[in-house]
Amino acid sequence: KLTVSLRRGTGDKAEEFDTEITLADKLAPYRQAFLGILPATPTDKEKEPGVVVSSVWPESPAAKAGLKKGDRHTQLGETKLAHLAAALEAMKGLQPDEDVALLVMRDKEELKLTAKLTTLPEDILSSIDLETEASKSAIEPRELETLKLPQFPQEAKFLVPEKPAPQMNGGSPGLVMWLADKGEVEEKLLVAAWQDVCDRDGLVLLIAKPESENGWQFEDLEYLDLLARTARSRFAADPQRTIIAGRDKAGQLASALALRRRDYFSGVITDNAPLPRTLKVPENSPGSRLALLTILPKNSSFTPLVKNDIKQLREAGFAVSLLDRPSTKDENDGLDAATQAAIARWIAGLKRL
C-alpha cells in the first residue's frame, strides 16, 4: 500500500489531501471494448462528421441501445467523432462493462443513447446479419500477377478485385495473405475459392510460397515479414481487414508472425495448426485489434493442442473464434464451400466498432 499526497486545483480553491492506493499483484490482460456496429466506409463526397452504421451486430450493446442501420454516430462518451479513425481511437480508452453515452443522428433527429460495452465477440456473423450472400459465378479464373522482393528468390502471386466492391464506397481493399504449401495445385484451388469473394467484398488475395521444396520453415519469417509490409503499402490495405492465413505448418508461421507483428494484422486464420511449441503467447495490448480464427477438421489429431492454445490466447485477452470443418481424404483438397463462406463472413466482421 502507498500513501499519495495530492493537490487539486489552483489558488485559494486548491484542495490538498492524502489517499491510499493498494498496488495490484498482477495486471489483468487487456481486452478490447466492443460496441457492436459495422461502420459504412465513407465516400469521397461524405462531408458530415460521424460514423454511419452499415449493420448492427446481433445482441450487441449497440443493438440493445437501439442503434439501427443508417444511423450516424457522432459522439462516443466525451469524444466527438469526426470519422471512423476517431471512433477506433476513442474505443481504446474504454473498458468492457463500461457504460458509455452515445449521440446519434437518425434522419434529422438527434438521439441520446447509452450502451454497456462488452468484449469483442467470437461468434461468426451469418449471411443474414451481413445482408449478403456469396454467389458462385461461372466466370473464368483470372491470371495472377507477381509480387517479387529483390532480396528473396521466391515470388508471391496476387489477385485484385475486378472492380471496387459497392460496399467499399471508394475505401481501401482488404488483404488476405495466404501461405500456400502445395504448389500450383493449391494455388488453383485458392483462386477458385477466393475470386468471387475478392470481387464481392473488395479483397486482395496474396499467395505466398516457401523457398524450400520441403515447405515452410521458420527461417521464412523474415521473408513473410517484409512481404506483409510491402503488400500493405502497395495495396493501401484496410488495417481492419489485413489477414494472414495458412494450413498445417504454414498456419503455425501465420500465427507466429501475426502475434509478433500485431501492428500489421487485424486477423489470423489457421487450419489444423497448433501454435509453435516454442512460442510464448504475448499479452494483448490497446494498440492491437488482432483476432484469431482457428479451423479444426473433424477428428484432427491436433485437437487437444489447439484447444489448449485457444485457452491460452483467450486468457491473454485475444478474441478467438473456433470453426469446425469436415475432414478430407486428400490433404491437397481445398476447403469446403460452407467453411469458405464462414471465413469470408468472419473477415467481414473484423470491420467492427
Side-chain angles (χ1 to χ4, degrees):
K1 292 184 178 181
L2 297 178
T3 299
V4 180
S5 298
L6 301 173
R7 178 182 174 87
R8 181 174 296 158
T10 59
D12 296 337
K13 295 182 179 180
E15 178 187 5
E16 295 184 356
F17 57 94
D18 293 340
T19 187
E20 193 174 72
I21 298 175
T22 301
L23 301 182
D25 60 345
K26 183 179 180 181
L27 291 177
Y30 176 80
R31 300 180 191 278
Q32 277 88 1
F34 177 62
L35 176 59
I37 66 172
L38 293 179
T41 303
T43 65
D44 294 335
K45 298 179 180 179
E46 187 63 69
K47 302 297 182 183
E48 295 184 66
V51 177
V52 176
V53 178
S54 174
S55 300
V56 179
W57 203 286
E59 303 300 319
S60 67
K64 294 174 182 177
L67 269 77
K68 296 181 179 180
K69 177 181 178 179
D71 287 347
R72 181 181 294 277
H73 186 195
T74 59
Q75 187 166 327
L76 179 64
E78 299 298 319
T79 304
K80 292 185 178 180
L81 306 180
H83 38 58
L84 177 58
L88 291 170
E89 190 64 29
M91 288 295 292
K92 293 180 183 179
L94 300 174
Q95 299 293 325
D97 296 325
E98 184 174 344
D99 290 321
V100 62
L102 312 174
L103 213 58
V104 174
M105 291 299 298
R106 182 174 296 163
D107 298 325
K108 295 183 179 180
E109 181 183 5
E110 186 177 74
L111 304 176
K112 294 182 179 180
L113 307 173
T114 302
K116 188 180 184 66
L117 302 177
T118 185
T119 55
L120 289 178
E122 295 180 340
D123 53 314
I124 299 174
L125 290 172
S126 71
S127 56
I128 296 175
D129 297 326
L130 288 168
E131 298 184 1
T132 185
E133 185 64 58
S135 58
K136 204 64 179 170
S137 60
I139 60 176
E140 288 292 324
R142 296 197 297 276
E143 290 292 326
L144 296 174
E145 299 180 66
T146 299
L147 178 57
K148 176 75 169 66
L149 302 181
Q151 305 95 318
F152 298 92
Q154 66 265 55
E155 295 179 341
K157 298 293 184 69
F158 66 89
L159 179 74
V160 297
E162 192 168 30
K163 56 183 178 180
Q167 58 267 46
M168 284 176 60
N169 293 325
S172 300
L175 173 64
V176 178
M177 181 172 161
W178 199 284
L179 311 190
D181 208 5
K182 302 294 188 301
E184 292 185 5
V185 173
E186 186 175 6
E187 184 179 291
K188 290 179 179 179
L189 289 171
L190 286 170
V191 173
W194 281 94
Q195 182 167 299
D196 287 328
V197 177
C198 289
D199 290 344
R200 186 196 70 198
D201 295 345
L203 297 172
V204 174
L205 174 65
L206 176 65
I207 303 174
K209 299 177 183 178
E211 177 183 0
S212 172
E213 294 181 356
N214 297 322
W216 291 103
Q217 309 295 324
F218 279 94
E219 291 76 12
D220 290 316
L221 282 172
E222 182 183 358
Y223 166 69
L224 294 173
D225 188 306
L226 183 56
L227 181 64
R229 275 189 287 160
T230 303
R232 276 164 41 98
S233 174
R234 173 164 180 165
F235 302 115
D238 182 348
Q240 286 189 274
R241 297 188 301 153
T242 299
I243 297 100
I244 185 169
R247 189 174 183 177
D248 301 327
K249 183 66 174 291
Q252 291 188 302
L253 260 71
S255 58
L257 183 58
L259 288 166
R260 175 192 295 180
R261 296 295 195 186
R262 284 168 286 160
D263 54 331
Y264 288 10
F265 302 103
S266 56
V268 55
I269 302 169
T270 59
D271 180 14
N272 199 36
L275 294 175
R277 294 301 94 191
T278 57
L279 177 67
K280 179 176 173 57
V281 175
E283 288 191 353
N284 199 8
S285 62
S288 164
R289 287 179 61 85
L290 181 67
L292 299 96
L293 175 60
T294 300
I295 304 171
L296 263 180
K298 187 177 180 181
N299 300 325
S300 169
S301 59
F302 290 127
T303 296
L305 287 174
V306 170
K307 291 195 172 180
N308 184 62
D309 291 341
I310 292 174
K311 180 182 177 183
Q312 289 187 60
L313 288 161
R314 287 174 174 165
E315 288 175 349
F318 295 98
V320 187
S321 302
L322 178 61
L323 179 62
D324 295 320
R325 69 165 175 84
S327 57
T328 57
K329 295 180 181 179
D330 186 345
E331 65 176 7
N332 290 323
D333 288 346
L335 294 171
D336 61 286
T339 301
Q340 180 68 37
I343 292 173
R345 295 197 305 274
W346 180 82
I347 293 173
L350 292 178
K351 199 172 181 66
R352 58 198 175 189
L353 180 65

